Amino acid sequence: MTTPTPCYHCALPVPAGSRFTAAVLGQPREFCCPGCQAVAEAIVAGGLESYYQHRSEASANPEALPVQLVDELALYDRADVQAPFVRHEGELAETTLLMEGISCAACGWLIEKHLRTLPGVAEARLNLSNHRLHVRWADAQLPLSQVLSELRHIGYAAHPYQADRASEQLASENRLALRQLGVAGLLWFQAMMATMATWPEFNIDLSPELHTILRWVALFLTTPIVFYSCAPFFKGAMRDLRTRHLTMDVSVSLAIGSAYIAGIWTSITGVGELYFDAVGMFALFLLAGRYLERRARERTAAATAQLVNLLPASCLRLGADGQSERILLSELRVGDQVLVHPGAILPADGRILDGQSSVDESLLTGEYLPQPRTLGDAVTAGTLNVEGALTVEVLALGQDTRLSAIVRLLDRAQAEKPRLAEIADRAAQWFLLLSLIAAAVIGLVWWQLDSSRAFWIVLAMLVATCPCALSLATPTALTAATGTLHKLGLLLTRGHVLEGLNQIDTVIFDKTGTLTEGRLALRSIRPLGLLDSDQCLGLAAALENRSEHPIARAFGRAPLAAEEVHSTPGLGLEGRVGEQRLRIGQPGFVCELSGAAVPLMPDEAGQWLLLGDSHGPLAWFVLDDRLRADAPALLAACKARGWRTLLLSGDSSPMVASVAAELGIDEARGGLRPDDKLQVLQQLHREGRKVLMLGDGVNDVPVLAAADISVAMGSATDLAKTSADAVLLSNRLDALVQAFSLARRTRRVIIENLLWAGLYNGLMLPFAALGWITPVWAAVGMSISSLTVVLNALRLTRLPSTPAISATPETRPLPA
């Protein structure tokens, strides 16, 4: 028999009589269909004919990857293909890959261990929260295609990470998981009704024919659950067995598969019990947990993508003739000059060549006041130009910008986080191994004693030791406590918060928007001339009405509006109210108008502004960011527990030390960048401390992600909320005080649940091994055990009886 000619593009057999040919590499090649022919002709026409020169000889090995896949992976070795997602630092290349097929922490362990054994790989780190793999390797020694091939060999597909593609893929996986969950829930209920009707307890005047029909109906309803809804469990188990790594997928697949096969045997022979209801129940519980996990990853990916969207889609590039041209951001290059108008977002990191303005950098530094920037100063992508037009030379784009550096810090911090999850995974492997060994040994013993009972006793052991109650012990308690805290305005986004609060001994606070309200308020007016406070406030408000600066909002709106208002970035405003010319801002700038001496500035904390006219100074205004009313209560609760407190802020003003002194915070540091804050946290971790972080800005995101427990304010940025373990929706700090009390109750309930679940499994295992418990009663006992755990956890739905500590905020009335 003649072997069919393989298609030159996809390697599938070419049908007899096929006439699809094209010239590739100087020779005529045969193709299986017009689609492969068209693709080959397009590759040749595009000058990419060298694609076919990278054919691998691995196809001779029956265990190698398909030729088509090897050829596709070879494309990633080209420099122009790698340019968008691979960065080079010396001899090492660095990239981020999006992984498919991740199901648990054991997958991360396997991927990292396997890659680190490859020659040339310097670093391999998987972020389990978003399935991104960070790899650094010597690309001269190991091509990228080989890295991707190695991942394929152990059962995982990897793609270059792109934010939009990542969000789309996670959304697609989420829809599939939801469909699998829906099928399992709908069909399980129907299969349970059919199965229960065959039980002796419910089998009243049931004819043998109807009994047979119900058995087959239950089999028909359960089959889609097993082969569609439970497909991820079986795929994961097969992959784990090939790599000789034991995970929960193996145990779950054995229980579901055994129960399903036993049900088929009973449906055919009428001997034994049906266990289709157990199959559906297992599938429903496990799929629900994994669906919730997928949704959390989807939110994380979407929020990270939003950070990139902070950059403008286009910008104004200046040509050699000085004329501006609007171009897409992707067309911008290092060395170009861009024109940034007031109110526009800076498209790239750069240096100011012309102009002066104030730049709102609160996104990166947490400092709510725009900072003055002039000729030669550096500016950052994603920040807002507030006042004057700027000409900026582009110094960094894309992955090299400071904004992208924060994203990389976030990824690194998240990847370093799940150490406890790795410990739990190793413990679970030993538990599963011992359970499976015990079931196998007992099965062999019973095979010698009574072979007719051996299978049913092993199945009873698998069902009895299925860790449903153990797996529900912690999540149900955390779910109940989470709902209680939600009523108080504290939304928990990760389950380890209430457990971890019992180990916290250090708290890090951000200042602006966290301990303070995050907005300037007028605290006091000090008249210097003949006009009283109300008259001075009216004149200042008339000037500030024309400004969009954050300071202007503190003065409110005035019935009068100044005319001929001109802003001098970093100094203040000048304008005319009636016939009176006024200035407000820095003292030297204001006194230039009248030539008078600069009055002595009061020696008090705050943002001091001077108002003056052509005759001299009129009044001092002091603005301040107010402390939250319940901040003292939160600090009092931390002190009562003996916790160390730190204030880390991007604000470089004396306000940092003032707030720390007023609240009694142990240590305060100002003027910190995101990586500076992360270094402080890492030092605390090296000292063995468990850290709680409370913040609200993008500059806090790396620390929020790396802290043992992190809380974001309800007014925080979307990325900060997604990176945090909890979100204070109500912005009421006293909800945290109640969370401290609830955490202790939750820990007690979790311990009670674990003891009960452990006692149940410890008793049921020997009873099942002795044949005293049938699989049916094992399933009933497991359900009762799970119900007991759930009812005990529901006690946490009651609001904490301990009242929150309250504090009366200090009032600072404005003078009349």
Side-chain angles (χ1 to χ4, degrees):
M1 182 177 180
T2 305
T3 302
T5 303
C7 173
Y8 189 72
H9 181 74
C10 70
L12 293 176
V14 175
S18 174
R19 299 180 180 178
F20 304 111
T21 60
V24 181
L25 298 177
Q27 296 183 19
R29 310 290 183 177
E30 294 186 27
F31 300 91
C32 64
C33 65
C36 288
Q37 179 190 33
V39 170
E41 290 175 345
I43 291 176
V44 173
L48 304 177
E49 196 173 16
S50 59
Y51 163 82
Y52 291 104
Q53 292 177 335
H54 296 282
R55 295 284 185 173
S56 172
E57 296 180 358
S59 57
N61 182 354
E63 295 183 339
L65 299 176
V67 175
Q68 180 184 5
L69 179 58
V70 172
D71 293 339
E72 290 176 356
L73 295 181
L75 287 175
Y76 289 108
D77 294 336
R78 290 178 39 188
D80 58 336
V81 175
Q82 292 184 6
F85 63 93
V86 176
R87 301 171 66 243
H88 291 83
E89 296 179 1
E91 297 181 354
L92 293 180
E94 181 178 0
T95 190
T96 300
L97 303 174
L98 183 65
M99 302 298 300
E100 293 181 1
I102 304 294
S103 61
C104 64
C107 298
W109 174 87
L110 176 64
I111 290 171
E112 292 176 355
K113 181 181 178 182
H114 185 75
L115 288 184
R116 289 167 184 168
T117 62
L118 300 178
V121 175
E123 181 182 7
R125 188 176 66 249
L126 179 68
N127 187 333
L128 286 171
S129 64
N130 53 26
H131 294 184
R132 297 178 203 163
L133 176 65
H134 180 76
V135 184
R136 293 176 66 239
W137 81 104
D139 57 345
Q141 183 179 358
L142 182 70
L144 179 58
S145 62
Q146 184 63 31
V147 175
L148 301 176
S149 297
E150 290 292 337
L151 291 171
R152 290 274 184 172
H153 278 300
I154 61 174
Y156 301 93
H159 309 282
Y161 170 71
Q162 298 174 351
D164 291 340
R165 178 174 180 177
S167 300
E168 181 180 350
Q169 178 178 330
L170 286 176
S172 176
E173 291 179 355
N174 176 58
R175 290 191 295 270
L176 175 60
L178 185 59
R179 288 195 297 268
Q180 291 172 333
L181 178 62
V183 169
L186 179 64
L187 296 183
W188 167 63
F189 185 78
Q190 306 299 327
M192 181 181 63
M193 294 296 99
T195 302
M196 290 179 62
T198 65
W199 290 4
E201 295 83 354
F202 300 97
N203 191 345
I204 302 175
D205 297 331
L206 190 65
S207 65
E209 293 79 10
L210 186 56
H211 195 285
T212 302
I213 291 174
L214 288 174
R215 293 200 305 266
W216 285 97
V217 167
L219 172 60
F220 174 78
L221 292 170
T222 308
T223 298
I225 299 178
V226 174
F227 289 98
Y228 179 70
S229 297
C230 298
F233 303 137
F234 292 107
K235 291 179 180 177
M238 292 298 296
R239 181 185 63 237
D240 296 332
L241 291 175
R242 284 198 304 268
T243 56
R244 300 177 183 179
H245 192 63
L246 190 62
T247 67
M248 185 66 74
D249 282 342
V250 176
S251 175
V252 169
S253 298
L254 280 175
I256 292 176
S258 299
Y260 179 67
I261 293 172
I264 293 177
W265 172 259
T266 301
S267 298
I268 296 174
T269 64
V271 178
E273 302 288 345
L274 291 175
Y275 296 100
F276 295 135
D277 54 336
V279 171
M281 180 179 63
F282 292 161
L284 186 62
F285 284 171
L286 294 170
L287 288 171
R290 294 198 176 184
Y291 173 72
L292 295 176
E293 180 187 356
R294 288 184 183 278
R295 290 302 302 269
R297 289 202 307 269
E298 184 181 11
R299 289 194 299 268
T300 301
T304 305
Q306 287 178 3
L307 182 60
V308 180
N309 293 336
L310 292 172
L311 296 177
S314 62
C315 61
L316 291 174
R317 183 174 61 186
L318 294 176
D321 56 358
Q323 298 297 316
S324 62
E325 175 190 9
R326 183 163 293 278
I327 62 171
L328 293 174
L329 189 61
S330 59
E331 300 178 77
L332 197 60
R333 298 292 180 266
V334 173
D336 287 348
Q337 296 182 13
V338 294
L339 177 64
V340 185
H341 289 299
I345 301 292
L346 286 149
D349 289 359
R351 181 177 65 250
I352 297 177
L353 299 180
D354 185 34
Q356 60 179 0
S357 182
S358 294
V359 178
D360 183 355
E361 299 178 342
S362 58
L363 173 73
L364 302 176
T365 66
E367 171 59 59
Y368 57 89
L369 287 177
Q371 301 300 302
R373 294 290 181 262
T374 186
L375 185 67
D377 288 345
V379 289
T380 305
T383 57
L384 175 66
N385 182 21
V386 177
E387 295 174 297
L390 296 175
T391 300
V392 178
E393 179 186 7
V394 176
L395 300 180
L397 288 166
Q399 295 296 317
D400 297 322
T401 63
R402 188 177 175 190
L403 193 63
S404 295
I406 289 184
V407 176
R408 289 196 295 273
L409 282 173
L410 168 63
D411 290 339
R412 185 178 69 187
Q414 288 180 333
E416 294 172 352
K417 193 169 187 175
R419 295 180 181 176
L420 292 177
E422 295 177 2
I423 296 174
D425 180 64
R426 288 195 294 269
Q429 290 183 50
W430 283 106
F431 172 79
L432 292 172
L433 181 61
L434 293 175
S435 299
L436 295 176
I437 291 176
V441 171
I442 297 299
L444 290 175
V445 172
W446 273 101
W447 185 262
Q448 300 297 326
L449 298 176
D450 186 355
S451 59
S452 63
R453 300 184 61 192
F455 176 78
W456 306 108
I457 288 175
V458 170
L459 183 58
M461 290 182 65
L462 289 174
V463 175
T465 58
C466 187
C468 285
L470 281 172
S471 61
L472 286 173
T474 299
T476 51
L478 294 177
T479 301
T482 297
T484 302
L485 288 177
H486 197 185
K487 297 176 184 177
L488 298 172
L490 180 63
L491 175 64
L492 303 189
T493 60
R494 290 174 178 85
H496 73 281
V497 174
L498 287 165
E499 293 176 285
L501 279 177
N502 294 287
Q503 285 83 43
I504 291 298
D505 56 21
T506 304
V507 186
I508 296 178
F509 297 99
D510 179 43
K511 179 182 72 70
T512 306
T514 303
L515 294 177
T516 67
E517 295 180 355
R519 56 185 177 86
L520 286 175
L522 184 60
R523 190 176 73 190
S524 180
I525 303 174
R526 306 281 180 85
L528 299 175
L530 299 177
L531 301 180
D532 59 24
S533 298
D534 290 338
Q535 292 172 318
C536 292
L537 178 60
L539 293 174
L543 278 176
E544 298 287 357
N545 270 350
R546 298 286 188 177
S547 175
E548 294 299 324
H549 198 284
I551 287 178
R553 304 188 189 104
F555 289 89
R557 293 299 175 186
L560 297 177
E563 299 177 352
E564 302 174 10
V565 177
H566 174 68
S567 172
T568 304
L571 296 178
L573 297 174
E574 178 179 346
R576 181 172 56 83
V577 178
E579 299 300 324
Q580 187 177 14
R581 183 157 292 278
L582 299 163
R583 283 187 179 183
I584 187 171
Q586 297 295 324
F589 170 73
V590 172
C591 291
E592 285 180 0
L593 184 61
S594 62
V598 177
L600 182 64
M601 181 182 295
D603 188 17
E604 296 179 22
Q607 178 79 19
W608 288 91
L609 302 177
L610 183 64
L611 174 69
D613 61 7
S614 56
H615 301 291
L618 296 176
W620 283 108
F621 295 88
V622 59
L623 290 81
D624 206 348
D625 187 10
R626 292 180 178 176
L627 281 177
R628 294 187 183 273
D630 44 10
L634 177 58
L635 267 297
C638 295
K639 292 293 184 182
R641 288 163 173 78
W643 294 350
R644 178 183 174 187
T645 53
L646 295 88
L647 177 59
L648 305 181
S649 177
D651 188 355
S652 57
S653 72
M655 275 291 295
V656 177
S658 174
V659 169
E662 185 171 351
L663 294 175
I665 295 176
D666 297 329
E667 182 180 350
R669 302 185 191 181
L672 299 182
R673 297 174 301 177
D675 49 344
D676 296 329
K677 293 185 178 184
L678 187 58
Q679 289 176 5
V680 174
L681 175 64
Q682 291 170 341
Q683 178 60 37
L684 292 172
H685 279 162
R686 286 192 289 269
E687 296 173 3
R689 292 189 169 272
K690 300 293 184 180
V691 182
L692 167 67
M693 170 66 187
L694 183 63
D696 75 321
V698 172
N699 62 309
D700 299 319
V701 164
V703 190
L704 288 170
D708 298 278
I709 296 177
S710 53
V711 181
M713 302 299 292
S715 55
T717 62
D718 289 341
L719 185 61
K721 292 178 184 178
T722 307
S723 303
D725 302 317
V727 180
L728 200 57
L729 297 175
S730 63
N731 283 324
R732 290 175 49 245
L733 298 178
D734 57 357
L736 283 178
V737 181
Q738 293 178 297
F740 299 155
S741 174
L742 186 61
R744 295 181 178 179
R745 293 176 53 205
T746 304
R747 182 175 181 271
R748 185 168 63 249
V749 168
I750 289 174
I751 292 175
E752 293 170 355
N753 283 349
L754 290 174
L755 289 175
W756 165 255
L759 179 64
Y760 161 77
N761 280 335
L763 292 176
M764 292 291 284
L765 182 60
F767 290 164
L770 292 172
W772 296 352
I773 300 176
T774 65
V776 171
W777 286 109
V780 172
M782 182 193 60
S783 300
I784 294 175
S785 177
S786 301
L787 181 61
T788 303
V789 166
V790 172
L791 292 177
N792 188 42
L794 289 178
R795 296 191 296 120
L796 294 171
T797 57
R798 297 193 299 267
L799 290 174
S801 57
T802 303
I805 303 173
S806 60
T808 303
E810 178 184 356
T811 57
R812 302 185 178 96
L814 296 177

